[in-house]
Amino acid sequence: SLPLIATNVPGCKDVVVEDWNGYLCEPKSAADLFLKMNKMMTLSKEAIQNMGLNSRMFVEQNFSDKIIFNHYFCLIEQVLAKKQ
């Protein structure tokens, strides 16, 4: 598991909790990306491992197959209920 650096745009920003599992950088900003990469490189090995574990835990809790399938099935049921 690894920490994240992602662009602060919809979708990408939904998987990053700033300073907990990674960093968000501003869109189209090479300077901000450089700052976030530099910040990541200065972290201790333990901090990087913790951020990586946090990333994995966050994704498993919020984006697992079961969660995604459950959302799809709920939406399908809502659409079918409206047609009846």
Side-chain angles (χ1 to χ4, degrees), residues 4-80:
L4 304 167
I5 297 176
T7 306
N8 192 5
V9 297
C12 295
K13 70 180 182 180
D14 298 328
V15 297
V16 177
V17 178
E18 191 72 24
D19 291 321
W20 184 71
N21 71 336
Y23 303 114
L24 291 170
C25 64
E26 292 307 310
K28 300 180 183 180
S29 175
D32 194 43
L33 176 59
F34 172 79
L35 290 173
K36 300 304 165 51
M37 291 170 69
N38 192 48
K39 190 173 182 178
M40 184 80 67
M41 290 174 48
T42 61
L43 293 174
S44 68
K45 185 175 181 178
E46 182 180 359
I48 289 173
Q49 288 175 338
N50 287 336
M51 284 180 121
L53 292 173
N54 292 342
S55 288
R56 181 167 182 99
M57 181 176 59
F58 185 81
V59 169
E60 286 175 348
Q61 290 176 353
N62 295 285
F63 301 102
S64 74
D65 292 353
K66 290 179 185 177
I67 293 170
I68 301 301
F69 291 144
N70 187 43
H71 284 295
Y72 279 126
F73 288 128
C74 288
L75 289 172
I76 290 169
E77 287 177 350
Q78 289 174 6
V79 169
L80 292 175

